[in-house]
């Protein structure tokens, strides 16, 4: 197995990513949109105890929705759910969505959304994303490299005592299937072991994380009190999954969080993962109830879990220290410089 050309979720055909952020005080927040121009069959699995989501019930395999147009991952806590309205407005002007009438724009775009808690991290509780941020992010969506660290919804993210952020990774399986993950890493738990090593670095494909060393620095002091947080993510593949198989993709991908963050799924996190299949609409679908499909599904699920672990590591490695009116939040690189010594 090898990473895709960008080592990003955009290596999956049919996946575009757009991001906006503001890091000038009092802002420290952003929005990331995963856009599917051809729609994607999508499931979701929510395990955190404090989720902030929109349109997740529609993704249940027993419900009628056939696919989604985009998934929004955003800062702003529950206020950030407003960003979905901007994405819907942009899609409406293009006639993309569930057709409900004869007119060119008689559509209802399907835009599931999940949020992280980053309120006040730039200095003001009211400095948060709006619908315009969603519109700008989806309009900027592309299929090339994805900016990581302090970009998009990862701008104000933290993970334990360190700066969190946006991370992504991909893999090409031997049969040509592509699997990718994009995570916004903003967890109560830590991505770092007691030795200072990153918990998820074992999942590397080749030397993608570089030659990391065991650091000699003591860990930074923990936060005075656990903050409300959340890891939100999208895992995607071009394999033809039905809705139940897409939900299982999201479920198994949570293992990737458990291997890279400790503790995970706490009552102060809203950990939510979307699983998406971008295969063309008329492609016969793999389903979890077909024994003949299991040999194809299991490698995809394992790859998604590993890709999400790798995305978490990339988010932490790409994160940059922030200084804001709310205080200093060090990056892993600044907290453990000896890990990068030659």
């Amino acid at each position: 197995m090898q990473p895709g050309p960008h080592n990003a979720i955009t290596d999956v055909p049919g996946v575009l990513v757009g991001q906006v952020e503001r890091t000038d005080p009092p802002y420290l927040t952003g929005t990331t949109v995963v856009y599917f121009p051809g729609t994607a069959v999508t499931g979701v699995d929510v395990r955190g105890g404090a989720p902030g989501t929109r349109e997740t019930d529609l993704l249940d395999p027993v419900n009628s929705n056939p696919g989604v147009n985009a998934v929004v991952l955003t800062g702003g806590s529950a206020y950030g759910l407003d960003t979905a309205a901007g994405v819907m407005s942009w899609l409406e002007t293009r006639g993309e969505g569930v057709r409900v009438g004869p007119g060119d724009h008689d559509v209802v775009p399907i835009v599931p959304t999940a949020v992280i808690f980053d309120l006040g991290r730039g200095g003001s509780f009211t400095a948060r994303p709006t619908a315009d941020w969603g519109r700008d992010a989806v309009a900027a969506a592309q299929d090339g490299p994805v900016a990581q660290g302090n970009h998009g919804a990862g701008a104000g993210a933290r993970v334990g005592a360190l700066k969190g952020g946006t991370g992504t990774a991909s893999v090409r399986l031997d049969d040509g299937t592509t699997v990718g993950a994009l995570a916004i890493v903003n967890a109560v738990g830590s991505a770092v072991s007691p030795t200072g090593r990153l918990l998820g670095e074992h999942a590397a494909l080749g030397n993608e994380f570089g030659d990391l060393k065991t650091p000699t620095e003591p860990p930074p002091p923990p936060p005075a009190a656990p903050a409300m947080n959340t890891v939100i993510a999208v895992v995607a593949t071009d394999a033809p999954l039905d809705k139940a198989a897409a939900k299982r993709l999201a479920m198994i991908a949570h293992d990737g969080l458990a291997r890279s963050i400790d503790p995970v799924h706490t009552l102060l996190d809203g950990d939510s993962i979307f699983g998406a299949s971008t295969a063309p609409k008329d492609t016969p679908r793999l389903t979890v109830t077909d024994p003949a499909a299991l040999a194809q599904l299991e490698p995809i699920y394992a790859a998604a879990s590993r890709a999400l672990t790798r995305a978490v590591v990339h988010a932490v490695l790409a994160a940059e220290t922030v200084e804001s009116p709310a205080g200093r939040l060090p990056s892993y690189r600044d907290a453990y410089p000896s890990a990068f010594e030659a």
Side-chain angles (χ1 to χ4, degrees):
M1 294 189 296
Q2 296 292 328
H6 301 300
N7 199 11
I9 195 172
T10 49
D11 291 326
V12 177
V15 177
L16 310 181
V17 173
Q19 303 190 96
V20 297
E21 67 279 332
R22 284 190 65 177
T23 58
D24 54 310
Y27 284 89
L28 189 61
T29 188
T31 298
T32 298
V33 175
V34 181
Y35 170 41
F36 307 111
T39 72
V41 172
T42 303
V44 67
D45 189 36
V46 179
R47 296 196 187 179
T53 58
R54 168 175 168 158
E55 294 278 42
T56 51
D57 284 351
L58 196 61
L59 305 185
D60 191 302
V62 304
N63 291 331
S64 61
N65 166 253
V68 310
N69 301 98
V71 173
V72 180
L73 309 176
T74 184
S77 190
Y79 295 103
L81 294 172
D82 287 349
T83 57
V87 177
M88 290 184 69
S89 175
W90 186 86
L91 290 165
E92 180 186 20
T93 65
R94 297 165 60 90
E96 297 184 40
V98 176
R99 185 151 298 282
V100 293
D104 290 342
H105 304 295
D106 294 346
V107 296
V108 178
I110 306 301
V111 185
T113 303
V115 303
I116 65 167
F117 186 95
D118 59 3
L119 296 174
R121 291 186 181 162
S124 172
F125 186 86
T126 59
R128 55 198 182 224
T130 65
D132 288 341
W133 294 40
R135 184 181 297 107
D136 291 344
V138 70
Q142 60 174 335
D143 62 358
V146 176
Q148 302 184 80
N150 299 19
H151 291 276
R158 68 179 300 161
V159 54
L162 299 175
K163 182 70 181 71
T166 299
T168 190
S170 71
V171 63
R172 290 272 173 86
L173 302 182
D174 292 342
D175 66 358
T177 299
T178 302
V179 180
L182 185 147
I184 310 301
V185 182
N186 184 65
V188 169
S190 176
V192 181
S193 76
T195 67
R197 303 294 296 240
L198 290 164
L199 292 170
E201 65 179 274
H202 65 278
L205 292 181
N207 198 39
E208 66 177 315
F209 304 143
D211 187 18
L212 297 174
K213 308 291 193 303
T214 299
T216 58
E217 294 84 6
M228 289 179 282
N229 291 275
T230 291
V231 179
I232 50 180
V234 177
V235 291
T237 181
D238 55 351
L241 311 184
D242 70 1
K243 282 182 73 175
K247 179 177 177 65
R248 176 62 62 175
L249 179 71
M251 292 171 65
I252 294 176
H254 273 281
D255 293 346
L257 293 188
R259 296 186 185 110
S260 54
I261 295 170
D262 183 34
V264 71
H265 305 142
T266 76
L267 290 174
L268 296 174
D269 288 299
D271 303 326
S272 304
I273 299 177
F274 298 90
S277 166
T278 62
K281 295 178 181 178
D282 57 354
T283 308
R285 298 280 161 174
L286 301 171
T287 180
V288 295
T289 58
D290 178 8
L294 300 186
Q296 294 172 268
L297 289 172
E298 290 299 341
I300 294 167
Y301 292 159
S305 176
R306 185 174 181 181
L308 188 52
T309 294
R310 294 164 51 222
V312 170
V313 175
H314 282 300
V316 176
L317 290 176
E320 300 174 24
T321 296
V322 296
E323 304 272 3
S324 79
R328 182 177 188 271
L329 194 56
S331 68
Y332 180 78
R333 289 182 179 273
D334 286 344
Y336 298 101
S338 63
F340 302 92
E341 292 177 353

